[in-house]
Structure formats: structure tokens, C-alpha cells
Amino acid sequence: MSTTERPRILVVGGGYVGLYAARRILKKMRYGEATVTVVDPRSYMTYQPFLPEAAAGSISPRHVVVPLRRVLPKAEVLTGRVSSIDQDRKVATVTPLVGEAYELPFDYLVVALGAVSRTFPIPGLAEQGIGMKGVEEAIGLRNHVLEQLDKADSTTDEDVRRKALTFVFVGGGFAGAETVGEVEDLARDAARYYPSIRREDMRFVLVDVADKILPEVGPELGKWGQEHLQKRGVEVYLKTSMESCVDGLVKLSNGLEAESNTIVWTAGVKPNPVLSRYGLPLGPRGHVDTRPTLQVAGSDYIWAAGDNAQIPDLAAREAGNENAWCPPNAQHALRQAKVLGDNVISGMRGFPQSDYKHANKGAVAGLGLHKGVAMIVMGKAKIKLRGRLAWYMHRTYHGLAVPTWNRKIRVFADWTLGMFLKREVVSLGAMENPREEFYEAARPVPTGTSAEKRSKAGAK
């Protein structure tokens, strides 16, 4: 930690907003003007729109994350959590990964904690569910799906086989629709290498409580996306919720029951619950109440943006939607981070703050290799694309949006190689417990066992 007497700008969270805001502040700041400190429990930022492709093996998981210390060499990067904030004393309590918690004084505060998975008290969900908020979960899902194919191919028990080949996805937004599309592609490709498994043996189920999927791209493209998935054999159940999944027995509100080893939960997000311990004004759904300048309501030294903030959408309000708020997507997060960084510098120097205003430019979604939907907004016109062209738009937009040229080049290299080389379908499930095999080999053998006797006989 720094011992300098310079003012400290504390950035809580190293995600999309935290990373870009810190970069902007460091770029605009004069030498020695302040110390920028970024605190996050992970030492890297995850580009979440690429998680479905990482789960499918189209992108290397290492290229989906951006190391904070490498991208922010002039900032302090602390690996830990800000567990509480004392606004009167301007002190944050930091809980590191190991060791005792300590206090960290600050002069300016940026709250960029992002969001966590929104879950419900569904029996069995905590034990059986797989999330899609981090690269670890994407890697785990890929390994898990391929392991299910291994199980199904190696057993003669029809019940075990059926359960292994049933995949349930809860949530029909971007994350759910893109993940089921990518994983279905992965499983279809992998089945070619299993003599006893065909695509017809697998069952993919997509469940959502809403009356449509992909609401972000509009009803017309959302309907096309639903029909496209159904043509690929994905069962889509709308206006339906999951009531239970104890021991993998999935029970839906429409009466359907199915046994599955794979239950992927992508049913929305909610602001990080730790915000309730910061003493900040919160909106009805737990977001930080933020003014158009991205300053927290009632404060002139705290800013917030991204998924953990409710920010007035000035462009939409001028168009007639008086209660519009900025949606939680990468498009807004990137632009909010830049305005936030500029406003922090302005606030530190005593200059006026600028309002955040950005008109929606559309949305893109990939539904597997060469398949996608895109809605591009150009003025008052909306261009709707679907199929291969929309998929190219999806990859181009996110390929250019991922932070740093290092990661852009690596991602485009992965995609280019994928045009000429077949998809890797190897499961590395042992990565989740890498010491298990060594432990079995090294653990002491109880005295008097047959194994010990054999060992002594071999020694003689």
C-alpha cells in the first residue's frame, strides 16, 4: 500500500467500469496528483459477453480475462474486498484474501462492484446449479458437459444415460440464450466422437418466466431466435419457472419433470448485496441512487456506474420515456466509465461535472457458430439482422469492445484458427481438484492392511 500523502481515489471493483474508469483517471491525471487504488477479490477483469464462447471452446478462457496489474501499472491493485465504508471518516475497511482486515483512507470513491446472479430459494438450486458470471464457471460448464458425454457413452444404465444427456438452462436473456446456443453447438460437435451418442439422444431445455426470449433485441428478433433454437431441438418453455431441482430432479411450474445433471442458472442479475453496508442511498431494487453526473445522490466525492447503479437514461427520457434508466450492458458500462473518470478528475480540480447521455446503438447476440441476431440503431432507423450476418456483427462488436489490444488480437486469433481447425472436445475436469490423484498416491496407508503387506513384500 502507498504511504504517500497524495489524495487517494479508491475504486471499489475491478470489473468493466472499475478497469476503464481507473484507466481514464490515470490517463487524465497529472504526475503525482493522486494515488489510484483498485480493490477487487480477483486480480483480473472478466469480459462477460465472451463467457458463452469460452464455455463452448471458441475462445481460450485466458483471453476472456484482463490482468489488472498489467493494464494498470501506475495504480495500486489490492486483492480483497471492501467490506464496509465509513463516510464520515472517509475510511474503507479492506478484507484481504488472507490476514486481518485493515482500514484504508480515501478522498474520492468510485463504486463499481457490478452485479451478482439473482437467485431464488428454490430447493436444490444451490447444490445443483451452475452460474455463468465468471470465467471459472464457464470453464467448469465446458468440462462438465463433456464429462456428461463421457458418462453416457460408458454406461449401460439407461436412467444414468438419460440424466447425463439432459441439459436444463434457466433464463432466456442474453446469457441464457447465448449459452444454450453455444453449448448445444459444442455437444453436437463432440457427439461425433462418441459411437453410442447422437444429437437425438440429447435433450436441451430452456426455461423462462417471461413470455419471450432475448427481449434486448426486440420481439421480432426474439421470436426468430426462439424458433431457431427450437429447430435445433431445444425445448423452450416460456411463462414457466423452475420449482425444484433436488438431486437433479427438475420440476417446472408447467408440470414437466426431468432428471438432469446439468442445470445452468442465468435468470438475471442483482446489484452486489455488500452495497447495503456502505451507507449509500439505494433504489428500490438495491442499486446505488446516482445522478446523471454519475455522482451518488447527496454526495460530491462518491461516483457509481455500471450494473450496481441506477442512472437516469437522459436520451430515452428526452424521447418521451420519463422513467427510463440505463440498462446494465457493456455498451453503457464502457461509456459511463469514461464520463465517470473525467468527472472524478473534474471534481478533484473543482471543475463542473458532465452529465452522462448516450442513445442506445442496438444489441447483438450470438446463438452458436454462424448464428445470431442483431438490432442496429441508426438515428430513427432500426436495422434488424439474423443468421450469419448478425453473427459477424456480434463478433466484430465484442471483438473490438474487449479491453486492450493484447486481448483483441488474441481473441481474433482464436476465431481465425477456429475457421481452419476443428473444435477441441477434451474435458479437463481434473483441473477442479488437481491434487486428488497425488493425494491418493501420497496418503499414509493404514497399518495392517493388505496394501501395506504387499508393499513390505515388494521391498523384500
Side-chain angles (χ1 to χ4, degrees):
M1 292 181 297
S2 173
T3 58
T4 179
E5 296 298 324
R6 293 178 293 183
R8 173 179 273 112
I9 302 169
L10 177 60
V11 181
V12 183
Y16 212 82
V17 170
L19 171 65
Y20 267 105
R23 290 183 74 187
R24 187 76 169 187
I25 292 168
L26 290 167
K27 180 181 178 180
K28 298 284 186 175
M29 196 171 62
R30 293 189 290 263
Y31 177 78
E33 189 174 5
T35 297
V36 177
T37 303
V38 180
V39 182
D40 194 276
R42 292 182 174 89
S43 61
Y44 53 84
M45 171 265 190
T46 303
Y47 190 70
Q48 293 181 354
F50 278 158
L51 292 181
E53 290 205 47
S58 298
I59 300 176
S60 169
R62 293 174 300 168
H63 303 162
V64 177
V65 297
V66 181
L68 296 178
R69 288 183 173 85
R70 179 173 180 175
V71 179
L72 304 172
K74 296 182 180 179
E76 293 178 342
V77 177
L78 306 179
T79 306
R81 300 178 185 273
V82 174
S83 53
S84 64
I85 290 175
D86 187 331
Q87 295 186 47
D88 294 332
R89 297 169 52 218
K90 288 191 175 182
V91 169
T93 300
V94 178
T95 304
L97 293 183
V98 293
E100 298 293 326
Y102 57 87
E103 292 188 339
L104 187 69
F106 63 86
D107 297 274
Y108 307 94
L109 179 65
V110 175
V111 182
L113 282 173
V116 299
S117 294
R118 181 184 62 191
T119 59
F120 303 97
I122 299 173
L125 178 60
E127 295 78 14
Q128 303 292 327
I130 302 173
M132 275 295 285
K133 284 290 292 177
V135 68
E136 303 88 352
E137 293 171 317
I139 298 172
L141 176 59
R142 171 181 168 77
N143 290 330
H144 175 82
V145 168
L146 293 175
E147 282 179 357
Q148 301 314 303
L149 300 185
D150 290 339
K151 288 180 181 179
D153 188 55
S154 60
T155 184
T156 56
D157 189 320
E158 280 302 317
D159 291 336
V160 172
R161 177 183 171 89
R162 188 181 307 109
K163 189 173 183 180
L165 295 180
T166 300
F167 307 94
V168 178
F169 297 77
V170 184
F174 270 151
E178 289 187 322
T179 302
V180 70
E182 292 285 356
V183 171
E184 194 273 340
D185 255 3
L186 168 66
R188 184 186 294 270
D189 283 352
R192 302 172 186 173
Y193 304 100
Y194 293 88
S196 68
I197 299 177
R198 300 174 302 158
R199 171 60 182 90
E200 292 75 15
D201 300 325
M202 305 179 205
R203 185 180 187 185
F204 285 83
V205 178
L206 178 63
V207 181
D208 199 296
V209 295
D211 60 354
K212 56 182 175 294
I213 69 169
L214 292 170
E216 300 89 344
V217 297
E220 182 181 334
L221 290 177
K223 180 67 174 176
W224 183 88
Q226 176 185 336
E227 293 173 350
H228 168 77
L229 291 175
Q230 289 172 327
K231 288 178 181 178
R232 290 165 59 183
V234 178
E235 301 173 34
V236 180
Y237 298 104
L238 302 178
K239 298 181 181 180
T240 305
S241 60
M242 184 172 70
E243 296 182 339
S244 173
C245 59
V246 177
D247 295 328
L249 177 59
V250 177
K251 297 182 179 180
L252 303 183
S253 60
N254 62 1
L256 185 145
E257 294 187 7
E259 284 197 309
S260 173
N261 288 334
T262 310
I263 302 168
V264 184
W265 183 268
T266 62
V269 295
K270 63 181 180 180
N272 197 312
V274 77
L275 290 171
S276 61
R277 300 201 295 267
Y278 286 4
L280 302 172
L282 302 180
R285 293 184 298 170
H287 299 81
V288 180
D289 188 12
T290 309
R291 299 198 293 265
T293 59
L294 306 181
Q295 290 173 301
V296 174
S299 171
D300 60 357
Y301 67 93
I302 305 177
W303 292 261
D307 293 357
N308 67 181
Q310 60 172 27
I311 301 166
D313 189 339
L314 298 183
R317 294 189 179 194
E318 288 180 1
N321 189 349
E322 297 181 358
N323 296 314
W325 304 94
C326 294
N329 57 35
Q331 180 184 155
H332 278 284
L334 171 60
R335 290 167 172 81
Q336 288 169 7
K338 293 180 179 179
V339 174
L340 188 152
D342 291 344
N343 280 350
V344 170
I345 294 295
S346 297
M348 187 168 56
R349 296 173 182 172
F351 297 149
Q353 301 280 296
S354 300
D355 286 345
Y356 171 73
K357 180 181 177 182
H358 170 67
N360 181 35
K361 299 299 183 185
V364 291
L367 298 174
L369 201 61
H370 304 146
K371 301 170 280 284
V373 291
M375 181 185 67
I376 312 300
V377 179
M378 301 182 67
K380 295 184 179 181
K382 293 184 179 180
I383 302 174
K384 300 174 183 179
L385 305 173
R386 57 194 186 188
R388 185 181 288 261
L389 184 56
W391 177 76
Y392 283 130
M393 291 293 299
H394 161 75
R395 282 201 161 180
T396 300
Y397 174 78
H398 286 297
L400 295 176
V402 67
T404 77
W405 279 103
N406 181 301
R407 285 300 180 268
K408 295 182 202 297
I409 293 171
R410 291 178 184 274
V411 166
F412 277 106
D414 284 344
W415 287 337
T416 303
L417 289 174
M419 296 169 60
F420 304 101
L421 305 176
K422 292 183 178 180
R423 189 198 305 260
E424 288 287 352
V425 292
V426 62
S427 169
L428 298 177
M431 288 174 59
E432 297 172 19
N433 298 288
R435 294 193 63 255
E436 186 173 347
E437 185 173 344
F438 180 79
Y439 173 76
E440 289 295 327
R443 68 174 177 170
V445 179
T447 58
T449 63
S450 58
E452 183 190 37
K453 293 176 182 177
R454 289 196 303 269
S455 177
K456 289 181 178 179
K460 292 178 181 179

